Amino acid sequence: MRSVRRRRNTRANPRRGWAKTVMLRPERGRGRRGRDEGAITRIAGTLRVRRHPVLYLTLALIVCAVMAGLVAGGYVSNAYTSFARSTGNAFGKLGFMVSHVTLQGNERTPSGAITAALAIHEGDSIFAIDPALVRARLIQLPWVAQAEVRRQFPDTISVVIVEKRPFALWKDGNDVAVVERAGGVITRDGLDEFDRLPLIMGKGAPKAAAPLLDTVMASRAVSARLKAAEFISERRWNLILDGRVVVKLPEEGWQSQISELERLIVDKGVLERAIEVIDLRYPDSYIFRLHNGDSQPVPRERPA
């Protein structure tokens, strides 16, 4: 008998180990039809939207209103807070709980006010403390100019504050306040502690006082006798010296007139006379008004 050998059908049985990439192509004659059907579907969808625009607009407004209600009602915030609290509690159980709060820089700010602003309690999760939020609360305290809040892992919050420096006492009518150099009001309480600060008066005086007081403090005789400085019409200054002597300074060039006043006090002894007003606003002469009401113009000395 003859042996029968099977022929290998290489087409039906491809060699093992090889993979074939099959490209799916649309059958002939159906590609254009498919594109046409897709275009018709899109057009139909557009027509449906255009047919009921009020319906879709109403739905959009309802969705926006619901989202706004959730935010305004605090539901989103509460959900986030709950998530943060639960996460913080989990970290707290791992040992990341606040055990210490270190504080530096407070001299005039009461510790109780700082503690209330911090709102940090022992056992709080250190991850639940928002340094930026704590800093914002500290800045609201009257004496605090700057604040730095940091987490120090695993259990410490570090707080460093820089306090405002009292510069002058400002009297506006019957109201008296401590102000800083830039002119901001610091406090109206405990003023007896600051009775050695220079006194300024008048509307707008705090923001304009720094250059004047710097110049006055550089003149020994004038600064030793200064009782107050009054800002007149928000344009120029009057100095009030010992014995209630009023010195009227010009609107411009007042720096040189303070130097001239120093010379008049030291070299001429003008404050030893019965003078009530010294008017330095005129370029060619001084005007001295006496207690009896008489005025005496005195020519200015010209440098040789």
Side-chain angles (χ1 to χ4, degrees):
M1 296 179 62
R2 290 185 301 177
S3 62
V4 179
R5 295 181 180 179
R6 296 181 178 177
R7 294 183 179 180
R8 294 181 180 179
N9 189 347
T10 56
R11 293 183 180 178
N13 299 305
R15 195 181 353 174
R16 294 180 180 178
W18 291 83
K20 298 179 74 174
T21 301
V22 179
M23 301 296 293
L24 299 179
R25 297 179 181 178
E27 297 180 3
R28 292 184 179 180
R30 299 185 64 179
R32 183 173 180 179
R33 179 181 178 183
R35 290 194 297 269
D36 293 343
E37 291 178 353
I40 293 173
T41 303
R42 289 193 298 272
I43 293 172
T46 304
L47 290 176
R48 284 196 295 270
V49 173
R50 291 182 179 179
R51 183 177 299 177
H52 303 288
V54 177
L55 174 61
Y56 288 97
L57 179 59
T58 303
L59 291 175
L61 291 176
I62 292 174
V63 171
C64 293
V66 170
M67 294 300 297
L70 291 175
V71 174
Y75 296 101
V76 176
S77 177
N78 293 338
Y80 174 78
T81 302
S82 300
F83 173 77
R85 186 181 296 113
S86 61
T87 305
N89 291 337
F91 280 107
K93 293 178 181 179
L94 296 176
F96 293 96
M97 295 185 297
V98 178
S99 300
H100 307 284
V101 177
T102 63
L103 177 62
Q104 300 179 32
N106 64 312
E107 296 180 4
R108 302 184 185 277
T109 306
S111 299
I114 294 178
T115 301
L118 292 176
I120 299 174
H121 304 90
E122 185 177 357
D124 288 348
S125 169
I126 196 170
F127 292 99
I129 307 302
D130 186 345
L133 183 60
V134 175
R135 179 184 178 277
R137 291 198 297 264
L138 289 172
I139 294 295
Q140 298 301 317
L141 297 177
W143 282 99
V144 177
Q146 299 178 11
E148 182 182 80
V149 181
R150 291 184 177 181
R151 300 189 188 104
Q152 292 182 347
F153 294 101
D155 60 356
T156 301
I157 299 296
S158 172
V159 180
V160 179
I161 66 174
V162 177
E163 293 185 328
K164 300 173 184 177
R165 299 183 61 181
F167 180 68
L169 286 174
W170 174 42
K171 184 177 181 181
D172 186 20
N174 295 324
D175 188 20
V176 181
V178 179
V179 297
E180 57 182 331
R181 183 180 181 87
V185 173
I186 300 176
T187 184
R188 292 178 171 83
D189 300 325
L191 300 180
D192 293 341
E193 183 182 353
F194 306 100
D195 57 356
R196 294 189 178 182
L197 292 176
L199 177 64
I200 57 177
M201 299 183 295
K203 183 179 179 181
K207 292 186 178 180
L212 175 80
L213 294 181
D214 289 346
T215 304
V216 168
M217 295 307 166
S219 303
R220 284 190 175 185
V222 178
S223 62
R225 293 164 174 80
L226 181 69
K227 294 300 181 181
E230 184 177 10
F231 203 34
I232 306 298
S233 301
E234 299 187 62
R235 295 186 299 106
R236 65 173 194 85
W237 290 95
N238 281 352
L239 303 181
I240 302 173
L241 307 182
D242 284 340
R244 304 182 71 174
V245 177
V246 177
V247 180
K248 296 184 177 183
L249 297 176
E251 186 174 349
E252 297 180 357
W254 53 266
Q255 295 89 342
S256 62
Q257 298 310 308
I258 291 178
S259 300
E260 186 65 15
L261 178 62
E262 178 84 1
R263 188 185 71 83
L264 290 174
I265 294 173
V266 175
D267 298 341
K268 302 298 182 180
V270 294
L271 296 184
E272 299 174 5
R273 306 175 188 178
I275 294 177
E276 185 178 27
V277 177
I278 302 174
D279 196 338
L280 302 178
R281 294 178 294 173
Y282 302 98
D284 298 327
S285 63
Y286 316 111
I287 304 295
F288 297 107
R289 192 174 74 191
L290 306 180
H291 286 292
N292 60 11
D294 294 341
S295 295
Q296 296 180 358
V298 178
R300 288 178 180 264
E301 297 180 5
R302 299 295 180 181

